[in-house]
């Protein structure tokens, strides 16, 4: 997977690539990340990349031309036809389905904005789509770029130690993850649910599915509304709701 990031702050992206799952993916060559700084493509002595917004108002706007040159350089290192994606609070929601779609590509570009954002003409001419990582505003697109890179990289074959773990993570099948426990069996008077200690794998699977259904219903009912429940799943969720004293879905 080759990802190119166009950013005024490459060190921020590099820092996020240095450790953990992303660090290993880079070290093993499963992930290659290139960085392109629009400032290197500004042609005035001050390397100006921003200017005041037409129409007035606060802040500065990223100029189209340095960005266009930086994106062209980044595109040149991407596989043919790879999309270039702008990170923007006004973009479409980045979710696990989007991560899966991007993980199926040979590569893509990410453009991190700064200040008040990017000249709209550059977005229209150079960007294939725009993604938002959530309904809040960050100071720049570097953290969103790392969020996208991380979510996508976890899905690449061979990146996670346990191949099953990405599929079993939250959103893998439209549900949140079930609760996890590790040693000791009792911590501060709180025991691990006994079913997890019994070695009955069918019972453990059933308990985990019930917890995933219940947790999703309690904290993200919107996810359940988008997912068709089998009759077994419905029965498990009703059992969970009875035990937890919450209203089951109608
Ligand atoms: N004026 C813009 C607005 O109100 O939408 C905010 C610009 S923000 C301060 C600067 C840059 O941060 C944006 O160009 C974008 O690249 C990035 N950014 C901020 N919030 C984001 C989000 N929720 N998702 C993706 N990128 C975001």
């Amino acid at each position: 997977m080759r990802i190119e990031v166009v950013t005024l702050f490459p060190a921020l992206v590099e820092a996020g690539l240095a450790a953990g799952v992303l660090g290993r993916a880079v070290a093993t060559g499963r992930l290659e990340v290139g960085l392109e700084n629009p400032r290197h493509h500004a042609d005035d002595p001050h390397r100006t990349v921003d200017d005041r917004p037409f129409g007035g108002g606060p802040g500065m706007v990223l100029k189209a031309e340095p960005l266009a040159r930086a994106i062209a350089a980044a595109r040149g290192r991407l596989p043919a036809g790879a999309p270039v994606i702008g990170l923007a609070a006004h973009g479409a929601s980045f979710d696990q389905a989007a991560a899966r779609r991007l993980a199926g590509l040979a590569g893509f570009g990410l453009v991190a904005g700064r200040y008040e954002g990017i000249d709209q003409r550059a977005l229209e001419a150079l960007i294939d789509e725009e993604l938002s990582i959530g309904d809040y505003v960050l100071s720049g697109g570097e953290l969103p770029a790392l969020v996208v890179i991380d979510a996508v990289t976890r899905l690449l074959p061979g990146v996670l130690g346990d191949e099953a773990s990405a599929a079993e993570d939250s959103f893998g099948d439209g549900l949140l993850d079930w609760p996890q426990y590790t040693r000791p069996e009792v911590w501060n008077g709180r025991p691990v649910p006994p079913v997890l200690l019994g070695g009955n794998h069918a019972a453990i699977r059933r308990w985990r599915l019930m917890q995933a259904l219940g947790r999703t219903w309690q904290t993200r009912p919107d996810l359940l509304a988008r997912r068709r429940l089998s009759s077994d799943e419905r029965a498990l969720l009703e059992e969970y709701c009875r035990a937890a004293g919450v209203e089951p879905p109608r």
Side-chain angles (χ1 to χ4, degrees):
M1 166 69 69
R2 173 140 201 112
I3 300 175
E4 288 287 332
V5 186
V6 174
T7 166
L8 287 168
F9 295 93
L12 278 180
V13 180
E14 269 170 346
L17 297 171
V21 170
L22 290 183
R24 276 199 308 280
V26 170
T28 56
R30 291 191 164 90
L31 172 66
E32 290 177 342
V33 179
L35 299 163
E36 193 65 44
N37 190 338
R39 205 170 287 286
H40 299 159
H41 297 273
D43 48 15
D44 67 311
H46 299 292
R47 300 251 171 235
T48 309
V49 290
D50 57 342
D51 208 336
R52 289 190 301 278
F54 277 126
M60 302 293 270
V61 175
L62 279 176
K63 289 160 69 70
E65 190 51 32
L67 207 67
R69 294 188 196 140
I71 292 174
R75 268 195 199 276
R77 295 190 295 267
L78 284 171
V84 172
I85 299 161
L87 284 323
H90 61 253
S93 293
F94 177 70
D95 58 11
Q96 194 66 14
R100 273 194 291 268
R101 171 171 63 84
L102 296 179
L105 303 177
F108 56 88
L110 293 170
V111 179
R114 277 272 154 179
Y115 318 126
E116 288 308 312
I118 296 171
D119 188 308
Q120 181 63 26
R121 295 163 298 181
L123 295 177
E124 288 165 11
L126 306 166
I127 299 289
D128 298 299
E129 61 179 294
E130 290 178 290
L131 289 175
S132 163
I133 64 158
D135 293 345
Y136 40 79
V137 177
L138 299 161
S139 309
E142 289 75 17
L143 294 177
L146 283 169
V147 166
V148 171
I149 293 171
D150 190 311
V152 168
T153 301
R154 293 173 59 76
L155 300 174
L156 300 179
V159 164
L160 293 185
D162 178 355
E163 281 303 315
S165 68
E168 288 190 353
D169 275 345
S170 290
F171 312 111
D173 67 350
L175 298 176
L176 301 180
D177 199 9
W178 51 72
Q180 305 281 356
Y181 299 88
T182 187
R183 271 180 276 272
E185 286 181 18
V186 180
W187 177 76
N188 279 0
R190 295 167 182 265
V192 167
V195 65
L196 299 178
L197 306 174
N200 179 338
H201 294 293
I204 292 172
R205 261 199 310 280
R206 190 175 171 282
W207 181 86
R208 285 180 164 166
L209 177 57
M210 182 166 73
Q211 296 298 317
L213 287 160
R215 182 183 263 188
T216 309
W217 171 238
Q218 283 194 286
T219 58
R220 291 290 306 275
D222 57 305
L223 292 177
L224 272 198
R226 282 186 247 153
R227 189 182 184 282
R228 196 186 296 276
L229 294 186
S230 69
S231 53
D232 281 355
E233 288 173 338
R234 187 162 286 281
L236 280 177
L237 180 54
E238 280 167 8
E239 189 180 329
Y240 175 96
C241 289
R242 265 196 308 279
V246 297
E247 275 295 307
R250 270 182 249 133

